Amino acid sequence: MKKRLYLELENCIGCRSCLAACTQCGGHEERNRNYVYDVNPMVNRQTMPLMCLHCVNPACARSCPAQAIQIHETGAVLSALVEKCIGCQNCTIACPYGIPKFDTEQNLMYKCDLCIDRTKDSIPPMCASVCPSNTLQWLTDEEIENKKKQFNLDNGKWVTSIPYLEGETNVKVNLPGILQGITKLF
Amino acid sequence: MQAKVAANQKTGKSIDNAFASHFAKSMFLAVCGLVTLSFFGTRMFTHVDLNLYGYMVGTIIFIGGFFYRFIAWGERPPTKIFIKKGIKLLFRKSTPKTSVEHLATYNFIWNRGIYRWTQHILIGWGCILSCFVTFPLVFGWMYFTMDDNGYYSIIAMGIRVITVPANGIIANLSYNALNITAVMVIAGVCMALYRRLKNMQARAEQKFMYDFLPLYMLLLVSVTGLSLTFMNIFLRGAGQPAMSLIHQWSVIITLIYLPFGKLAHIPFRPMSVFARNYREHYAEQSMKGCKVCGDEFVSTEQSKDVVEVLGVNDIEFQTKEGHHLAEMCLPCRRKYRIAQFSGFPIHELKVKEANQNAKG
């Protein structure tokens, strides 16, 4: 069954387990490809994770002159193919979320590939496997739909993607309740 | 009516009009070039080695596939920009150094690991040297003659380049050139296959058709080539005719498959020199400051090109603030997204990016 990465942003406690787990993925050569950001560090301790959202129409792949960024049949936008990447860094400029990283020494771009060795067999990606606060979840579309019902909103404000993102993505994001005009209880 | 006339005048001048397509033109020029070179190389077709005609036909079909694949690829908007500007910047001072590092010594692969560098040097140079021997022989640009007095001449493009003792070092090296490169390729391919079985990154993404088939084909070419030598020396040529056909078949299949599989990166790779030149040249011209923090993070030209390429693809990342997302530096772009999620403009806050590397 097809599952998706699903982010409930405000659950994040800033433990950075996802970063550590990312380095341990089979294909990641001990370099993490995701980020955790403070929301307002002078005022509170809220953090939010940020990783590749695996756009349906990925700008990185569109801007790649070497066709090095492939899209897996599961929808995951893969890291650059090592033999094709020519090191132009177009993808880092094109990505609307600033996700791809570039290794100057190796002349190679690398980014979140949604742990494709795991997710192609429906095993959750490393980050979702270790997240202690249910910020990162690995859910079916049906489960995401149920989440939506659970909030029981009539204000049409449930957002899992647009308008806070630039386009349709394979990773679904559940924005903090504050933007949706609700208080969430967990 | 006027427009029609103007169009006619415009097209009437161009040589491109003589051909139905880019493909037809490239193919015509390439085949003409090969024939011309062979005409001179073989001293007006008097030294053609017809034993190799299969390879000749195979090469022409390969060139067809090659142009088909690469003209289609060159039409992609980002590729077109890099090719156009890359050719314009080809005569930079740093080009020879960059070319050697990227195309001959593979320094960047060294940085990815010594094991991978070794396997790449063995396969890469094994194949390149083989091509330097094979193609000139096939098209008659180079051939050998045995002189009466125990000397041996190498003739390149119809010119007697060197005459050496028939049992000397240089002569032996040239008889055995393909045996040596075959051993190099076999060693490299075995290393590559071993890595593909063990390395987790490779295992995650590899596909049979894309990653394994080229390796098996190179192995087949090298093993059948070496076994030709083996049959000559130890079996007095027994089985040679059949094996030479198998070898020919394997080489031709590899050539035809080349533009469509993993090996396509061989003719593709000079683009990395273009890309490096492009980045260096335009970085010297002027750098783009981030619209939020002001840090210079990319050349103005590349920023402009990426915005343009995205536009061609109907991707417009205009922010509420009125600039394009590609005009922000990467940390600011990430913080900007967090700002969209949280409603608080963290990207405008002058705080250091919190620890993003999982090294503690």
Side-chain angles (χ1 to χ4, degrees):
Chain A
M1 191 183 300
K2 185 176 161 53
K3 291 195 172 188
R4 293 175 186 283
L5 185 61
Y6 173 79
L7 276 59
E8 271 185 42
L9 289 170
E10 77 214 66
N11 294 3
C12 182
I13 54 171
C15 67
R16 288 171 173 72
S17 299
C18 48
L19 303 192
C22 186
T23 63
Q24 296 306 306
C25 180
H28 287 190
E29 301 196 326
E30 305 193 355
R31 294 181 297 191
N32 65 298
R33 291 119 194 263
N34 43 8
Y35 307 85
V36 172
Y37 272 93
D38 294 321
V39 171
N40 190 355
M42 304 302 192
V43 175
N44 57 40
R45 302 305 305 149
Q46 179 67 54
T47 52
M48 284 181 185
L50 187 65
M51 53 264 298
C52 178
L53 300 176
H54 299 274
C55 305
V56 173
N57 182 16
C60 53
R62 293 284 176 201
S63 69
C64 176
Q67 290 177 314
I69 303 172
Q70 304 276 311
I71 299 159
H72 195 260
E73 61 206 31
T74 57
V77 181
L78 300 182
S79 213
L81 290 174
V82 288
E83 81 279 2
K84 279 190 178 177
C85 177
I86 57 170
C88 69
Q89 302 181 37
N90 260 7
C91 48
T92 61
I93 310 301
C95 174
Y97 314 119
I99 301 298
K101 295 186 171 186
F102 189 77
D103 188 321
T104 334
E105 295 286 301
Q106 301 187 3
N107 202 31
L108 179 68
M109 167 278 228
Y110 60 102
K111 68 178 275 296
C112 164
D113 54 1
L114 210 61
C115 297
I116 195 63
D117 55 335
R118 300 165 64 87
T119 52
K120 72 171 193 280
D121 300 323
S122 280
I123 304 168
M126 290 301 271
C127 51
S129 313
V130 299
C131 181
S133 63
N134 261 354
T135 310
L136 307 165
Q137 304 178 33
W138 184 243
L139 301 177
T140 61
D141 280 341
E142 194 186 346
E143 283 166 324
I144 294 175
E145 198 59 30
N146 286 341
K147 290 243 172 213
K148 184 175 172 178
K149 280 186 199 135
Q150 175 191 326
F151 288 106
N152 203 13
L153 287 176
D154 279 332
N155 59 7
K157 279 197 172 177
W158 165 276
V159 263
T160 56
S161 194
I162 308 166
Y164 297 95
L165 299 178
E166 299 299 327
E168 189 67 29
T169 58
N170 280 308
V171 174
K172 297 295 176 194
V173 182
N174 178 8
L175 294 168
I178 190 164
L179 279 188
Q180 300 182 38
I182 54 157
T183 311
K184 283 196 218 163
L185 296 171
F186 293 97
Chain B
M1 183 65 197
Q2 252 179 350
K4 209 174 170 186
V5 172
N8 276 343
Q9 277 174 346
K10 203 175 168 191
T11 50
K13 282 177 197 160
S14 171
I15 181 80
D16 291 343
N17 239 0
F19 298 98
S21 61
H22 264 308
F23 178 78
K25 188 174 103 181
S26 311
M27 211 47 208
F28 177 77
L29 291 178
V31 172
C32 282
L34 283 181
V35 172
T36 317
L37 283 175
S38 294
F39 177 77
F40 291 113
T42 56
R43 298 193 175 168
M44 295 187 268
F45 300 126
T46 53
H47 287 88
V48 185
D49 189 353
L50 277 180
N51 200 23
L52 303 176
Y53 82 96
Y55 295 105
M56 218 180 283
V57 176
T59 308
I60 307 249
I61 297 174
F62 155 71
I63 292 173
F66 170 81
F67 282 132
Y68 168 76
R69 175 74 178 83
F70 284 92
I71 289 172
W73 168 70
E75 283 299 314
R76 303 180 74 245
T79 321
K80 213 171 188 170
I81 288 176
F82 271 92
I83 292 178
K84 224 186 212 166
K85 295 189 176 168
I87 289 172
K88 219 163 52 182
L89 299 175
L90 200 56
F91 294 105
R92 267 177 70 79
K93 241 189 253 161
S94 61
T95 305
K97 185 169 175 278
T98 316
S99 306
V100 169
E101 281 177 2
H102 283 198
L103 308 176
T105 60
Y106 316 127
N107 290 13
F108 59 100
I109 303 182
W110 176 273
N111 295 329
R112 291 175 195 175
I114 295 167
Y115 184 91
R116 294 175 74 174
W117 179 82
T118 313
Q119 77 178 39
H120 200 277
I121 279 275
L122 287 173
I123 301 177
W125 276 101
C127 290
I128 293 171
L129 292 176
S130 312
C131 288
F132 279 158
V133 175
T134 313
F135 285 104
L137 286 179
V138 168
F139 290 101
W141 304 334
M142 179 176 81
Y143 57 88
F144 304 102
T145 54
M146 187 75 154
D147 293 342
D148 292 335
N149 50 2
Y151 278 82
Y152 194 74
S153 294
I154 299 173
I155 296 171
M157 292 315 291
I159 299 161
R160 191 177 295 257
V161 177
I162 192 169
T163 305
V164 290
N167 51 4
I169 296 172
I170 297 179
N172 266 307
L173 276 180
S174 40
Y175 309 148
N176 288 311
L178 289 178
N179 293 331
I180 297 166
T181 56
V183 171
M184 283 170 73
V185 171
I186 290 174
V189 166
C190 289
M191 285 177 82
L193 283 174
Y194 180 76
R195 192 185 82 87
R196 293 221 156 267
L197 296 181
K198 290 286 174 189
N199 179 280
M200 298 304 271
Q201 163 123 33
R203 279 166 58 167
E205 291 175 10
Q206 66 201 6
K207 293 195 196 84
F208 177 79
M209 278 302 277
Y210 190 77
D211 296 294
F212 279 106
L213 192 62
L215 290 178
Y216 290 143
M217 286 313 294
L218 287 179
L219 201 58
L220 186 62
V221 169
S222 312
V223 168
T224 52
L226 264 190
S227 59
L228 281 175
T229 308
F230 178 83
M231 285 167 167
N232 278 342
I233 294 176
F234 298 105
L235 306 179
R236 297 181 186 176
Q240 241 261 5
M243 188 52 76
S244 77
L245 272 184
I246 297 174
H247 181 64
Q248 201 169 59
W249 176 84
S250 64
V251 171
I252 292 172
I253 295 291
T254 309
L255 275 180
I256 293 174
Y257 173 72
L258 190 143
F260 304 100
K262 183 169 202 142
L263 296 179
H265 80 274
I266 303 165
F268 212 86
R269 204 60 215 185
M271 274 286 285
S272 72
V273 180
F274 286 9
R276 176 60 61 87
N277 277 354
Y278 170 92
R279 281 188 63 83
E280 284 174 355
H281 175 80
Y282 291 111
E284 284 163 16
Q285 301 280 308
S286 80
M287 289 295 281
K288 180 104 188 161
C290 169
K291 286 281 179 189
V292 176
C293 68
D295 283 355
E296 293 179 340
F297 69 105
V298 69
S299 64
T300 315
E301 184 80 7
Q302 188 170 10
S303 169
K304 201 185 90 213
D305 284 341
V306 171
V307 172
E308 191 184 305
V309 163
L310 291 180
V312 173
N313 283 299
D314 279 335
I315 302 177
E316 300 287 347
F317 292 141
Q318 289 300 329
T319 59
K320 289 193 292 287
E321 291 81 357
H323 51 259
H324 196 282
L325 278 175
E327 293 177 306
M328 282 175 171
C329 72
L330 275 86
C332 283
R333 219 180 300 159
R334 292 191 286 263
K335 287 185 196 165
Y336 181 82
R337 191 55 43 188
I338 296 296
Q340 303 304 301
F341 289 159
S342 66
F344 179 80
I346 169 78
H347 59 294
E348 286 167 12
L349 205 64
K350 290 273 176 226
V351 284
K352 226 180 97 197
E353 198 176 30
N355 179 22
Q356 298 299 347
N357 296 310
K359 297 222 171 80

